[in-house]
Amino acid sequence: VTVGGFKHPPNVDAVRWLASDIWPRIRARMPQAQLRIYGAYPTAAVQRLHSPDTGLHVCGYAPSLDVLAASRVLLAPLRYGAGIKGKVVDAWRYGLPV
């Protein structure tokens, strides 16, 4: 799982990078893996990443971070910005590796 509001450019960059470079490597080693991307206001570019055939699901807004409870790991591929701190704390709160 990954989470982040998409009015914040670092989150848009993160999921685009995740989908183009990181997720294909994960799927190559774990073909049944599923990735759920949660966040309010997904841009058109983020929505176009939705690809159930490759296990990538753009889910949009989540009413709470309780979606993390059903997850096994939180991916936080931020390349810039300060949001990594919040994502790490959220993951820890739900006992997830980051």
Side-chain angles (χ1 to χ4, degrees):
V1 68
T2 193
V3 296
F6 295 110
K7 285 190 174 181
H8 190 55
N11 290 330
V12 174
D13 175 73
V15 298
R16 291 179 77 184
W17 183 42
L18 176 58
S20 67
D21 293 357
I22 300 167
W23 187 243
R25 294 176 187 185
I26 292 171
R27 281 287 286 213
R29 298 191 80 182
M30 301 174 65
Q32 301 304 314
Q34 300 290 306
L35 172 62
R36 302 208 185 293
I37 298 171
Y38 290 98
Y41 310 107
T43 65
V46 169
Q47 291 175 359
R48 283 192 297 272
L49 299 175
H50 183 75
S51 176
D53 291 344
T54 65
L56 199 150
H57 306 273
V58 176
C59 302
Y61 174 77
S64 77
L65 287 177
D66 288 343
V67 297
L68 298 180
S71 302
R72 297 183 68 187
V73 65
L74 184 132
L75 302 176
L78 291 170
R79 297 193 280 188
Y80 64 98
I84 191 71
K85 297 181 304 268
K87 290 177 184 8
V88 169
V89 170
D90 291 339
W92 288 349
R93 214 171 110 208
Y94 286 87
L96 299 177
V98 182

